[in-house]
Each structure stands twice: as structure tokens, then as C-alpha cells.
Amino acid sequence: MNVSDAACASLLKSILCAKCDQFSSELFKAYSGIRTVPVLCNSTVSANSSQSTSKSNNFCGKVWDTCQNVSMRNSPFTPSLKGGAGLPENSTATKIAELWKSKADFCKAFGGSSEDESACFDGEPVKFNNNKNLDTPKGLCVEKIGNGSYLNMVAHPDGSNRVFLSNQKGQIWLATVPEQRSGGTLDINEFRTFLDIRDEVLFDTELGLMGMAFHPNFTQNGRFFVSYNCDKVSSPRCSGRCSCNSNADCDPSKLHPDNGAQPCRYHSVIAEYTVNKTGLQPSMATSAGPSEVRRIFTMGLPFTGHHAGQILFGPTDGYLYFMMGDGGSRGDPYNFAQNKKSLLGKIMRFNIDDLPTAKGIADLGLWGNYSIPSDNPYFDDKELEPEIWAMGFRNPWRCSFDLERPSYFLCADVGQEIYEEVNIVTKGGNYGWRVYEGDALYHPLQSPGGNTSANSINPIFPVMGYSHADINKNEGSASITGGYFYRSKSDPCMYGRYLYTDLFAGGLWAGSETPENSGNFSSTRIPFSCSNDSPMQCNTVEGSPLPALGYIFSFGEDNRKDVFILASSGLYRIVCPSRCNYTCSKEDLSVLQSPSPKPSSASLGNRLGAIYNGLVFSFFSAFLLLHS
């Protein structure tokens, strides 16, 4: 095609390049023949369409007005594409105004909306989430790529297809994720760890290595951080202030032993490690030094449960966020989550780049080697601890920032009696526990630590969740596991939805926000299946079509934006819905290739992983009570 007019050439370039955009397949619907031009937005778009705002743009009319008298050879707008309109196919005409009788005829042929009246091209990059009325997912398709059971997964900061995986016992591995439909499995050697700190970590039902986070500049500085629990009886380095103290109006001598442990025998720790001592560039390092660089945070725990432990870096501020539960015991009897001078039941935010002196730590009453970001909500408020970013949580189990909207920080919070919840966490927010469970008033069985009146707080209620009876109608047992906003290309019908699940693997939910940026979410429980061409065979639940995942501990996300399910039975990846025979009108089936043959046997790493899993089977039963 040769176009002489610059303005017209610019428009045509955007049109012909539209197919390169990741979610553009729906713009090139096949009609009676091959179509090389996308559906162009014009005034014929349905008023009920999510693209109705494009009426004011009228991009198709703009193309006509700009290009109608421009001569172009091999025009993409020749009448044969639609057939029957304009001049005969053998015409030598080179201008749009010669090929089509009028703007109306031209835009009748190339304009409007797609067949489901949900999308059209307006000259801008295609953004799938511009479509507010997303197709309801028919189901979630997964493939199994590993036998190992992991608690945490973090994408390698170098942008590659490598990930870090950790277990609760205190081991971290560096692994490579195979391409989808390659037939490959997770490339991991369970006997070659990236970091092994089992000597420091206390591993028990709700204790262990709970989180890991890599510095935003890891590829330059080699710094990373691990959150774990330790026992001061067996580890001399496990020493810190008790979270039950006079400043928090709590007397540890009045606390009863919990599961045989005295109050504040166990601690929550954040420690810094480095790969710099390996002599390699950080992105090339396959192991880290086992000795910590510094202790960032240490705090004694009043009871043995509800101390969460996830850590992650904010995508825009570069600060370290630390999720902490209410400390345990049913109903938070000492009301730690609402205690303004306690760090229990809080989300904290630290600056780990600007480290204070020992005197500064003492003067400020800090719990370790960090400083307080000046925009923390209570930086200058003497009534609250300055580390606090948000408060009122029972046991926040898995939080994440949306890749496309970093201001959306979602955390799942495990309920007590009746309700599991998902919250949008904002600066200085109070999420209600234990005054509220969900949006219902909670009445504790005992309250030696006093009560907080409902009138004295301004709670932020959850945006999504489910009741315990939704999972087990007989026992009501449930424990939420938070996930991610799905931003992968693999399942376009899931795109833009927030995924979450339950520890007992009895349900998966997809939450959608309407209208966008409103905070108004609705969630749908969706079926899920294992792909027939999964690289590793999935077992099924007896008497049910659901795959037998076991217990779902967490979700993960890699650099391709694919989302993974970390379960007791293995590692699963969410894949194209068609691989499970689910229908998604937005999936471009033309780009799918025939799957590679299944490997005849599992990789060495996975065979070793299976052996390893048998040795640590007790880990699964211990973790079953993690969120209780």
C-alpha cells in the first residue's frame, strides 16, 4: 500500500498495526470473508455498549474525512472485503471516495461495533479492560507443572521466566517456568536451594518462613528480605520486645501459655540477605549467603497464631509492606487489632533504604533497622505507632497490588465465625476487626483487653468475600486465600478480575468491578478444571469433576503475568480456557498451536520433588490449621 497524504498515512498505520495489540482479536471478526481492517468506532455503536463513549470520537468518520480523496494502491478498503458495495472488484479506482459512494456506506461496511457490541477500534492502543461488560468466565482452566508444595512465589526481578519458590520450613529455590503448551514442567532441583535457613526458622502449624521480597533494585544491589518465625529458647539471636507490653497497655504475665509456649517465646522476624558475596552479578546468582546481613524487624508474639507474615514492596513507593495478624487466640481477646499502640492486626510500611543509627532506633522506639516513611499516616501522630499503614485485621492472608492500577492494594482477611473477606487497603484505613467481622458486629466471648465501641471508629467494609457455609455447610469451616487481579493474556475472559480462593480448595471466585475505579465489586464462584493436555496429570476429587488440589496455600504471579495456584498437591498455572473446553468469545483460537506431546516421564527435578513431598507430608496436615 502506498499513501501520499501524511495525515491519512498516520491513521492507516494505526489501523493496520491494531492487530499487534494483545487483545485485538475481537476487532477482526470474520464475516463473509477475510477482514484486514478492524471494526472502526462510529456513531452506529449501540447505546448500551461499553464502547458507547466512542460515538463522540466517530473514528470511522474521521478516516473517511481524512482519507477519502487520498490515492492509495492496494487499498485495505476495497469493496471485495465486504462484497456487493461500491464499484466492481476489477475497478482501477484508488481513492476511498471512488470505491464507496458515501461516508454512510463506508462506515456501514467498516464501522460499528463487534458482533457482541462490546469493542471497536478508535485509533488508540487496544485495552481489553476498557470493556466494562466483560464476558462472564465459563470456567478456569489450569495445568499442573510441578509436584512440589510451596507457600510463596515471587517472579525474578530480572524479568526472565524464572521464579523464586519457598516452603514453610525455611527453604527457597530458584526455578524456571516452562512456556505454555510446551509440554514442559517446572525446572527445579529440590536438593539445590537458593537459600536454606531451616536452622533459624521455627516450623510449626502457623510458624515458619512466611514471606520473601526482592528489592526493587535487586539486579543492581542483590538485596532481598525474608519474613519468618523463630524460637528464643532454641535460637540466641531470636530476641526482641514483646508485642504485649506496657506501651500497648498489656501485661505479658497475665497471658496464659498457648500450645505449651509462654507468651513471646516466638517472634516474627524480617531479615535481609544478599547474593553479592557469590561474586556474580545479582541476576546471575543461583544462591545466596546463608548469613543475614541485618535484622530489619523483630517482635515477640503473645500467642502461636494469627501473625500472617507476608512482605512485599510497593510498586510505586519502593517501601516494604509487612502484613501482621492480631496475634492469635479466638476473638482477639486483648483487642490488639484496634489498639493504636500495638502493631498486631496491622499492615506496616517501612523504609529499608534509609537506615537509622542505633541511637535513632532507641529514640524513636523502633523494632529494628528501618526508618518511617514521612508520608505514613501516623508519622506525626503520637497516639498511634508510626509504622502503621492500616489497621483492624484478623489475619491478612495474601495481599497484592494490581499491576495496571498500583493504587489498588487488595488484601484477603481470614474471618472468625462466619465471614471471609477481601478489602481494598488504603492509607490510614481501619478495617473493623474485632468490632466487626465483615460488615456485621462481632461479639467476643471474652475481652480482658477491653472493647472498642462501634461509634468510635469509621470502618471500611470488605468489597468481596463469602460466608463459611458457602464452603462447608455442615461445619462452616473456611479460610480465605487472597490472589491477584488477573492481567495475563492467557485467559482474556478472566482479564481484569480479582481471583481469590479458600484454603480447603472448595471454591474459586472471580471479582469484577463495575463501573471501573468505583470500588463496587461483585464476585462469582467459578468452576475450574485441569487441562487434558496438562504436562503432569491432575488427580480428581472423588465424586466431583474438580481437580484434587488439596489445600490452596497461596497464589503466585510470574513476569509473563500468568497466575499460579500454590497447593499442597503441586504447582498449577492458569491457562487458556479452551484447553478445558470452556468457551471464551474473546480468546483468539487462531493463534493456538497444537500442544506438544506430553513428556514420557517427569523431569529429574519433579521426580526428586515427589520424593521430597513424601518426606514432608506432615507439613500438609500441619498447615491445614494455618488460618484457624
Side-chain angles (χ1 to χ4, degrees), residues 129-307:
N129 63 332
N130 278 349
N131 178 7
K132 308 299 190 301
N133 298 318
L134 299 177
D135 277 1
T136 300
K138 304 301 186 294
L140 196 68
C141 187
V142 301
E143 65 175 359
K144 185 177 182 180
I145 62 170
N147 278 324
S149 180
Y150 311 103
L151 188 56
N152 298 281
M153 175 178 174
V154 178
H156 199 296
D158 68 355
S160 69
N161 61 338
R162 295 182 296 168
V163 297
F164 293 97
L165 293 158
S166 69
N167 67 6
Q168 193 180 353
K169 297 180 69 175
Q171 297 164 291
I172 299 175
W173 293 271
L174 180 59
T176 301
V177 176
E179 295 282 347
Q180 287 199 34
R181 301 182 71 85
S182 68
T185 58
L186 185 72
D187 185 4
I188 185 172
N189 184 344
E190 294 279 3
F191 291 101
R192 184 179 180 182
T193 57
F194 178 79
L195 180 71
D196 188 341
I197 55 172
R198 284 177 291 178
D199 291 343
E200 295 290 332
V201 172
L202 172 63
F203 170 52
D204 204 340
T205 304
E206 292 197 50
L207 302 162
L209 194 163
M210 310 307 286
M212 59 179 173
F214 290 76
H215 193 281
N217 295 322
F218 171 80
T219 55
Q220 286 77 44
N221 62 31
R223 301 172 68 192
F224 68 100
F225 303 80
V226 179
S227 164
Y228 65 89
N229 302 116
C230 61
D231 181 356
K232 71 178 183 180
V233 172
S234 59
S235 175
R237 299 199 61 197
C238 185
S239 177
R241 280 184 289 159
C242 183
S243 56
C244 173
N245 53 48
S246 57
N247 190 41
D249 196 25
C250 180
D251 183 354
S253 68
K254 296 182 179 180
L255 299 183
H256 298 292
D258 185 28
N259 292 328
Q262 292 296 321
C264 291
R265 171 180 170 176
Y266 304 143
H267 288 65
S268 278
V269 169
I270 302 175
E272 178 179 343
Y273 294 85
T274 183
V275 300
N276 290 339
K277 296 180 180 179
T278 64
L280 300 172
Q281 291 292 327
S283 60
M284 300 296 293
T286 58
S287 64
S291 300
E292 67 181 62
V293 176
R294 64 177 58 83
R295 187 66 57 91
I296 299 297
F297 180 93
T298 308
M299 184 175 71
L301 302 166
F303 306 107
T304 59
H306 301 180
H307 31 76

Side-chain angles (χ1 to χ4, degrees), residues 68 72 116 159 178 192 195 237 278 302 321 354 416 423 429 461 479 491 526 531 546 559 582 611 615:
Q68 61 174 311
M72 63 184 82
D116 58 2
R192 184 179 180 182
L195 180 71
R237 299 199 61 197
T278 64
Y321 290 74
D354 185 11
Q416 178 68 68
N423 299 286
F461 293 132
S479 180
D491 187 344
I526 55 175
S531 170
L546 294 177
N559 286 312
Y582 291 129
I611 298 171
L615 295 175

Side-chain angles (χ1 to χ4, degrees), residues 16 35 84 104 114 134 190 265 269 276 355 402 462 473 478 519 554:
L16 298 179
R35 182 181 181 123
S114 63
L134 299 177
E190 294 279 3
R265 171 180 170 176
V269 169
N276 290 339
L355 301 179
D402 184 6
K473 299 186 186 305
S554 189

